[in-house]
């Protein structure tokens, strides 16, 4: 559209058509100069012919005065006539050459005009085709932009639903694992209370002490595991809310054996 590249197949390189038009102008100027030279030569020939005719008339009048002058006049007339004929011949040859050059330039001019006209018709056809194609592409581009806009809206909505679903899944996993760990803690604390109650007897205290220590260690480990699970799931949920991907995986749980 900006006409910055050669217009194939009518131009081999940028500016061929303009260069051809400039050459056409130069040929027209040369033809004009040739016509002016021809008119000058013709005018000069006519002037010389008039002068010779006047000289001939004068010579005829002087024939009555002297035969010698008449002979001289004849000789001079013959010389001038030969010279004039020679110049006339040369002028005719020059005129013939100029006419040939003018015809050649005229033919070249007609050929260039026909070529320019044909190329202009082809250019108009290509331009119309280009404009039709451009309008078609513009319409399709508008439709695609609307479709892309709609798809982006749908994609954002799907992304929101996906984030919500992933958060829900992670929240469910977190609550399930915490429920299991809290259940294990509650059960262990119940066992620990029973053991402590039984250890109130002096005879049973030494025997139950190791078991009480094991259950206390077990409860401490499970509580740490509970805190770790809750923290890691919360971190995953926060990452998903911030747009992170590939976060939908369960937190690794260490199963501590009951004492």
């Amino acid at each position: 559209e900006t006409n910055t590249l050669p217009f194939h197949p009518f131009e081999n390189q940028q500016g061929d058509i303009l260069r051809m038009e400039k050459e056409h102008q130069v040929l027209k100027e040369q033809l004009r100069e040739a016509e002016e030279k021809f008119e000058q030569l013709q005018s000069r020939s006519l002037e010389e012919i008039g002068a010779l005719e006047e000289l001939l008339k004068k010579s005829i009048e002087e024939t009555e005065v002297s035969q010698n002058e008449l002979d001289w006049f004849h000789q001079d007339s013959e010389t001038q006539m030969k010279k004039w004929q020679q110049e006339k011949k040369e002028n005719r040859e020059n005129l013939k050459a100029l006419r040939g050059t003018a015809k050649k330039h005229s033919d070249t001019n007609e050929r260039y005009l026909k070529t320019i006209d044909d190329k202009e018709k082809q250019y108009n056809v290509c331009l119309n085709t280009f404009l039709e194609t451009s309008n078609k592409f513009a319409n399709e581009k508008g439709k695609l932009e609307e479709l892309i806009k709609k798809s982006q809206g749908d994609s954002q909505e799907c992304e929101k639903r996906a984030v919500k679903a992933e958060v829900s899944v992670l929240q469910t996993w977190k609550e399930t694992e915490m429920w299991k760990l809290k259940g294990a803690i509650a059960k262990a604390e119940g066992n620990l209370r029973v053991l402590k109650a039984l250890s109130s007897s002096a005879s049973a205290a030494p025997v139950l002490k190791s078991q009480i220590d094991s259950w206390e260690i077990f409860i401490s480990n499970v509580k740490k595991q509970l805190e770790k699970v809750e923290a890691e799931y919360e971190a995953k949920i926060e990452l998903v809310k911030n747009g992170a991907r590939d976060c939908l995986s369960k937190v690794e749980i260490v199963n501590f054996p009951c004492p």
Side-chain angles (χ1 to χ4, degrees):
E1 290 181 338
T2 58
N3 194 24
T4 58
L5 296 175
F7 184 55
H8 295 292
F10 313 111
E11 288 184 328
N12 293 324
Q13 60 183 359
Q14 178 89 26
D16 280 348
I17 292 178
L18 294 176
R19 185 163 52 255
M20 190 180 298
E21 290 179 354
K22 290 180 179 178
E23 292 175 356
H24 168 62
Q25 294 296 329
V26 171
L27 291 174
K28 287 178 66 177
E29 185 65 21
Q30 291 178 352
L31 177 59
R32 186 184 64 79
E33 292 176 358
E35 290 176 348
E36 291 178 355
K37 289 181 180 180
F38 167 72
E39 291 174 357
Q40 292 175 359
L41 290 173
Q42 190 176 33
S43 176
R44 189 175 66 183
S45 298
L46 291 174
E47 291 176 359
E48 291 178 354
I49 291 173
L52 290 173
E53 288 177 349
E54 186 66 23
L55 181 60
L56 179 60
K57 181 180 179 181
K58 183 178 179 180
S59 298
I60 293 173
E61 291 174 353
E62 291 176 352
T63 53
E64 297 175 358
V65 178
S66 173
Q67 185 64 37
N68 294 330
E69 291 179 354
L70 179 60
D71 294 338
W72 174 83
F73 174 75
H74 284 310
Q75 293 176 358
D76 185 66
S77 296
E78 289 177 359
T79 303
Q80 293 294 333
M81 184 64 68
K82 290 179 180 179
K83 180 180 179 181
W84 175 79
Q85 288 177 349
Q86 182 64 29
E87 289 181 355
K88 183 178 180 181
K89 180 180 179 182
E90 292 176 355
N91 290 337
R92 285 180 178 176
E93 291 177 353
N94 290 334
L95 179 60
K96 184 178 180 181
L98 289 174
R99 284 177 177 174
T101 302
K103 186 177 185 305
K104 181 180 178 181
H105 290 168
S106 178
D107 294 341
T108 303
N109 183 32
E110 290 179 0
R111 186 170 66 254
Y112 284 161
L113 289 175
K114 186 177 183 303
T115 302
I116 292 172
D117 185 59
D118 293 339
K119 290 185 181 296
E120 186 176 0
K121 291 179 180 178
Q122 294 174 359
Y123 168 77
N124 290 330
V125 171
C126 293
L127 180 61
N128 293 332
T129 303
F130 169 76
L131 292 176
E132 292 177 359
T133 306
S134 178
N135 292 332
K136 180 180 177 181
F137 285 161
N139 293 333
E140 292 180 356
K141 180 182 177 183
K143 293 179 181 178
L144 289 175
E145 287 177 349
E146 289 295 328
L147 182 60
I148 289 171
K149 185 177 180 181
K150 182 177 181 301
S151 299
Q152 287 176 344
D154 295 341
S155 175
Q156 291 175 356
E157 186 64 27
C158 291
E159 186 175 349
K160 290 179 182 179
R161 292 200 300 269
V163 169
K164 187 176 180 181
E166 288 186 11
V167 170
S168 177
V169 170
L170 291 171
Q171 190 71 32
T172 302
W173 286 350
K174 183 190 79 170
E175 292 175 356
T176 301
E177 296 298 337
M178 290 181 66
W179 178 80
K180 290 179 181 178
L181 292 172
K182 287 180 179 180
I185 292 171
K187 185 176 180 181
E189 288 177 343
N191 292 334
L192 184 60
R193 284 194 297 272
V194 172
L195 290 173
K196 286 183 177 181
L198 294 174
S199 66
S200 60
S201 172
S203 60
V207 178
L208 298 176
K209 186 178 185 307
S210 63
Q211 294 186 20
I212 292 172
D213 293 340
S214 297
W215 279 106
E216 287 178 345
I217 294 172
F218 174 77
I219 291 171
S220 176
N221 289 334
V222 174
K223 285 183 177 180
K224 291 179 181 179
Q225 183 71 15
L226 177 65
E227 294 175 357
K228 174 178 175 295
V229 168
E230 184 177 10
E232 291 188 9
Y233 271 115
E234 288 297 331
K236 284 179 175 289
I237 290 171
E238 193 63 28
L239 288 173
V240 171
K241 288 181 178 180
N242 292 331
R245 295 290 180 268
D246 299 329
C247 294
L248 196 62
S249 60
K250 290 185 176 182
V251 174
E252 185 177 354
I253 306 297
V254 178
N255 293 320
F256 295 102
C258 293

